[in-house]
Amino acid sequence: RNGQGIGTSALGTWGKAAEVAVQTRGLEVEVKQFSDFLDSLYEKLDQTAGEFLDNEGVGLYERQSLINHSCEPNTCVRFESGSNELSIVANEDLTPGTEVTICYFD
């Protein structure tokens, strides 16, 4: 369930949207149930199809490569609509002069 994959599958896009919808309801038991369901679904897909459905790619982006890592980043990397267009989105209000950071592992 890597959120940074270029060319994220339709299933991945659905999973992220459904996860947000469940989280919006605010019921922890439903969030846990959906997370468990999604983990189980991906495990079963992996057992059945192997790497066939793993169509997330990698890329090197010149400007993103200049952003430092933080375990508590103030921005996140997104690939909207399964495209290869990278967006850096602020997690909080950033004042001028604030270093922009991302998490390399999420």
Side-chain angles (χ1 to χ4, degrees), residues 1-5 69 73 76-77 102-106:
R1 298 198 298 180
N2 179 354
Q4 293 187 16
H69 165 79
C76 63
V77 175
I102 59 174
C103 179
Y104 291 163
F105 306 111
D106 187 25

Side-chain angles (χ1 to χ4, degrees), residues 36-100:
D36 291 346
F37 163 75
L38 210 50
D39 287 343
S40 174
L41 177 63
Y42 275 102
E43 286 174 19
K44 288 175 184 170
L45 282 170
D46 189 50
Q47 290 170 0
T48 304
E51 294 183 12
F52 176 75
L53 291 178
D54 187 10
N55 67 347
E56 294 187 2
V58 296
L60 179 60
Y61 291 82
E62 185 177 359
R63 292 191 180 126
Q64 183 217 3
S65 68
L66 300 173
I67 301 173
N68 286 323
H69 165 79
S70 173
C71 292
E72 295 180 20
N74 55 18
T75 66
C76 63
V77 175
R78 292 203 184 139
F79 291 94
E80 302 295 334
S81 303
S83 73
N84 65 349
E85 185 174 318
L86 181 142
S87 298
I88 303 293
V89 180
N91 297 331
E92 59 195 52
D93 290 337
L94 302 176
T95 57
T98 300
E99 179 183 16
V100 172

Side-chain angles (χ1 to χ4, degrees), residues 7-22:
T8 302
S9 69
L11 178 62
T13 301
W14 170 84
K16 288 175 190 158
E19 199 166 38
V20 168
V22 170

Side-chain angles (χ1 to χ4, degrees), residues 1 19 22 25 27-41:
R1 298 198 298 180
E19 199 166 38
V22 170
R25 291 173 48 90
L27 302 172
E28 285 299 316
V29 66
E30 288 183 1
V31 171
K32 172 90 170 90
Q33 287 173 337
F34 185 76
S35 181
D36 291 346
F37 163 75
L38 210 50
D39 287 343
S40 174
L41 177 63

